[in-house]
């Protein structure tokens, strides 16, 4: 899934400290960027006579074609072939790895990096000079047992996109907690518009009402997901008893657009853009992938998803999970390193950020104009607590996403038994 010029919270990767690190590291970044440019120029001079190379880059999120084009101009013997995989990314990548498919570069989730590093799947990039161009916490996220295998390139918040025009017409304010979200939804429903749309065809896209609670769990216990992964905690523990309640409440109260549960991610985006629903929970990439400067059906806004209840704090969940890694059996390891070095240059990162409408983890690399929503969204994020969205162990999502689909389809469910299913899946990874 995947992700902010005006978003100064990006360094929350591990956290406000990194703003200082980013500032302090700008000179180093510029130096290393220049070094990368010089090295690249030398490499470009040696392009003559080289055999053509195709580097396959498999991702679930957008890439900057402009940066790819500039890389290919600099290294004309190298062609980047983009393979975009949306749904069941983990399962597809696992299958390809088991069969040792012809792969070169991938985006991976952090737990996949930890898993595959133990199976000799990933290139070791420890000590590469261009790593200093990244925020320290970004490099840390891709480091396992002292060896660095990858770096997350983007970071994005999980948001509620909303029809600001309709909110203004109905005199509605942005909700700051779950109770207010339900009150707003009731008023929107009474006006004749569906409060929200969530489709179930793409399993991953069903999750964000429920998994937005992850930040609250981390607020209470920073080690909670490590403890679930180790078996020290269980999904059947009392603190998770209400995990599915929010989505079930939306479904039971008729706050979701009718006949929409079978829609794909792209179809959900389209019906939201048509004004058929007032709100859409999705990662910030939902903006970059579906809206452009010409969109004028209504004024678009966004706010952190308020799943907090009572005296719980409002938490913004940040996704920073697309770690760029190389595959150990690739025949093109030197070319992979050239690409990794190239995208680590701040000038290339700015292009990437602007074109993909996402913030990047390269120091001084985020474009200041990448997202028109930044000015209004920034204060809301600043006013909330930010947590990094955790990456679940490998057996969880294949069980969790179908559960969300069951709830959306209004099937009779026993939430306690659903949590038992979650724990059974978790046990497989312990």
């Amino acid at each position: 899934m995947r992700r902010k010029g005006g978003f100064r919270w990006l360094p929350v990767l591990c956290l406000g400290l990194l703003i200082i690190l980013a500032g302090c590291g700008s000179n180093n970044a510029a130096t290393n960027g220049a070094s990368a440019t010089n090295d690249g120029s030398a490499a470009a001079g040696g392009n003559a006579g080289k055999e053509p190379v195709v580097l396959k880059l498999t991702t679930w999120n957008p890439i900057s074609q402009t940066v790819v084009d500039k890389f290919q101009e600099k290294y004309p013997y190298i062609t980047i072939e983009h393979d975009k995989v949306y749904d069941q990314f983990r399962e597809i990548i696992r299958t390809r790895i088991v069969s040792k498919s012809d792969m070169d570069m991938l985006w991976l989730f952090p737990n996949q990096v930890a898993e595959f590093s133990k199976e000799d799947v990933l290139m070791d990039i420890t000590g590469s000079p261009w790593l200093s161009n990244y925020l320290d916490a970004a490099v840390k996220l891709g480091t396992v047992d002292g060896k660095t295998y990858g770096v997350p390139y983007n970071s994005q918040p999980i948001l509620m996109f909303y029809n600001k025009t309709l909110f203004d017409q109905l005199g509605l304010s942005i909700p700051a907690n779950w109770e207010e979200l339900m009150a707003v939804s009731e008023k929107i429903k009474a006006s004749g518009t569906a409060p929200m749309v969530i489709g179930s065809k793409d399993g991953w896209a069903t999750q964000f009402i429920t998994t937005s609670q992850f930040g609250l769990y981390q607020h209470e216990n920073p080690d909670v997901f490590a403890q679930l992964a180790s078996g020290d905690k269980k999904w059947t523990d009392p603190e998770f008893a209400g995990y599915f309640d929010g989505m079930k409440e939306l479904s039971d109260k008729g706050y979701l657009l009718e006949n929409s549960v079978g829609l794909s991610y792209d179809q959900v985006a389209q019906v939201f853009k048509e004004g058929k629903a007032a709100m859409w929970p999705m990662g910030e990439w939902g903006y970059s992938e579906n809206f452009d400067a010409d969109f004028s059906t209504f004024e678009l806004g966004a706010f952190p998803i308020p799943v907090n209840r009572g005296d719980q704090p409002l938490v913004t969940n940040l996704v920073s999970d697309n770690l760029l890694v190389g595959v150990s059996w690739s025949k093109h390891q030197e070319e992979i390193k050239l690409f990794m070095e190239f995208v680590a240059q701040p000038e290339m990162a700015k292009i990437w950020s602007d074109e993909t409408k996402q913030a990047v983890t390269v120091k001084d690399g985020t474009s200041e104009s990448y997202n028109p929503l930044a000015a209004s969204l920034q204060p809301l994020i600043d006013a909330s607590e930010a947590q990094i969205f955790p990456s679940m162990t490998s057996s969880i999502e294949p069980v969790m996403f179908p559960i969300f689909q069951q709830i959306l389809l209004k099937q009779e469910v026993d939430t306690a038994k659903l949590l038992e299913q979650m724990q059974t899946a978790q046990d497989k990874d312990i």
Side-chain angles (χ1 to χ4, degrees):
M1 284 158 286
R2 309 286 199 339
R3 19 245 251 290
K4 314 184 202 210
F7 292 176
R8 297 182 180 84
W9 49 262
L10 167 62
V12 184
L13 272 170
C14 259
L15 292 351
L17 167 65
L18 295 177
I19 298 175
I20 299 172
L21 293 178
C24 294
S26 60
N27 290 334
N28 287 339
T31 299
N32 287 318
S35 174
T37 302
N38 293 336
D39 292 346
S41 298
N47 286 336
K50 288 186 176 290
E51 291 293 324
V53 169
V54 175
L55 287 182
K56 296 180 179 178
L57 173 60
T58 303
T59 79
W60 65 84
N61 55 350
I63 66 171
S64 168
Q65 189 59 46
T66 301
V67 171
V68 168
D69 290 344
K70 287 180 177 294
F71 176 78
Q72 292 174 156
E73 289 170 9
K74 190 167 189 175
Y75 302 102
Y77 69 99
I78 304 175
T79 299
I80 302 296
E81 182 180 289
H82 184 209
D83 172 32
K84 192 171 183 180
V85 178
Y86 258 138
D87 209 17
Q88 296 183 315
F89 182 87
R90 294 176 186 275
E91 293 81 1
I92 290 171
I93 294 304
R94 164 52 74 183
T95 299
R96 292 180 183 180
I97 284 174
V98 169
S99 62
K100 287 208 167 183
S101 296
D102 183 16
M103 298 188 294
D104 299 298
M105 297 182 291
L106 309 167
W107 292 148
L108 289 182
F109 295 98
N111 63 355
Q112 288 179 302
V113 172
E115 176 185 359
F116 295 145
S117 68
K118 296 175 173 58
E119 300 176 14
D120 297 324
V121 170
L122 309 178
M123 285 174 50
D124 183 354
I125 58 172
T126 306
S128 298
W130 44 265
L131 286 173
S132 62
N133 286 15
Y134 288 92
L135 296 168
D136 289 348
V139 177
K140 183 178 179 181
L141 197 63
T143 301
V144 181
D145 296 333
K147 292 184 178 181
T148 302
Y149 298 98
V151 185
Y153 204 72
N154 300 107
S155 179
Q156 296 179 291
I158 302 301
L159 303 170
M160 185 72 81
F161 292 103
Y162 75 106
N163 183 332
K164 188 175 186 299
T165 302
L166 180 63
F167 267 56
D168 291 345
Q169 290 172 351
L170 298 178
L172 302 176
S173 299
I174 291 174
N177 54 48
W178 183 259
E179 292 80 9
E180 291 180 9
L181 179 62
M182 291 300 96
V184 162
S185 297
E186 184 61 34
K187 291 178 181 178
I188 294 171
K189 181 182 178 183
S191 76
T193 298
M196 201 176 299
V197 60
I198 303 174
S200 67
K201 185 174 181 180
D202 294 324
W204 68 269
T206 63
Q207 67 177 294
F208 296 112
I209 288 293
T210 302
T211 57
S212 286
Q213 296 171 96
F214 286 174
L216 288 172
Y217 296 149
Q218 291 171 308
H219 168 79
E220 296 295 334
N221 176 6
D223 298 321
V224 61
F225 289 99
Q227 291 169 349
L228 282 167
S230 69
D232 292 336
K233 279 196 173 295
K234 297 183 181 298
W235 286 101
T236 50
D237 289 348
E239 64 204 89
F240 304 113
Y243 181 60
F244 297 110
D245 289 355
M247 181 176 281
K248 194 170 185 306
E249 184 174 359
L250 288 173
S251 180
D252 290 346
K253 289 185 174 179
Y255 290 161
L256 301 176
L257 179 65
E258 289 186 10
N259 303 317
S260 65
V261 294
L263 299 182
S264 68
Y265 164 79
D266 293 328
Q267 291 170 323
V268 166
Q270 184 58 39
V271 299
F272 174 70
K273 289 166 66 176
E274 292 170 356
K276 294 178 180 178
M279 294 179 284
W280 176 36
M282 184 50 59
E284 189 195 26
W285 57 87
Y287 176 83
S288 62
E289 294 178 351
N290 296 286
F291 295 88
D292 56 34
D294 296 328
F295 178 75
S296 59
T297 305
F298 55 81
E299 184 179 356
L300 178 68
F303 54 86
I305 299 177
V307 295
N308 50 306
R309 302 168 188 255
D311 60 357
Q312 292 178 319
L314 175 62
V315 176
T316 300
N317 289 271
L318 309 180
V319 174
S320 183
D321 57 10
N322 59 331
L323 284 88
L324 177 59
V325 303
V327 176
S328 62
W329 57 79
S330 169
K331 299 176 182 178
H332 310 302
Q333 306 221 356
E334 290 307 312
E335 288 79 10
I336 291 172
K337 291 176 183 177
L338 286 176
F339 182 79
M340 289 182 167
E341 179 183 50
F342 191 80
V343 298
Q345 298 176 46
E347 59 268 34
M348 292 300 110
K350 281 185 182 293
I351 295 171
W352 192 294
S353 172
D354 201 43
E355 188 167 320
T356 63
K357 298 179 175 63
Q358 301 172 13
V360 297
T361 57
V362 176
K363 298 169 185 175
D364 296 328
T366 294
S367 167
E368 296 179 357
S369 60
Y370 81 99
N371 190 335
L373 297 180
S376 60
L377 184 57
Q378 174 71 38
L380 300 177
I381 292 175
D382 285 345
S384 71
E385 178 181 323
Q387 293 283 356
I388 296 296
F389 198 81
S391 191
M392 309 303 290
T393 56
S394 59
S395 296
I396 288 293
E397 288 182 355
V399 171
M400 183 170 66
F401 294 164
I403 289 175
F404 296 154
Q405 291 166 326
Q406 289 178 48
I407 294 172
L408 290 172
L409 290 168
K410 295 188 176 181
Q411 296 179 2
E412 285 296 323
V413 294
D414 181 332
T415 56
K417 290 183 178 179
L418 296 180
L419 288 166
E420 289 175 5
Q421 292 179 36
M422 291 274 287
Q423 186 55 44
T424 299
Q426 188 72 73
D427 289 339
K428 295 178 181 178
D429 298 327
I430 296 174

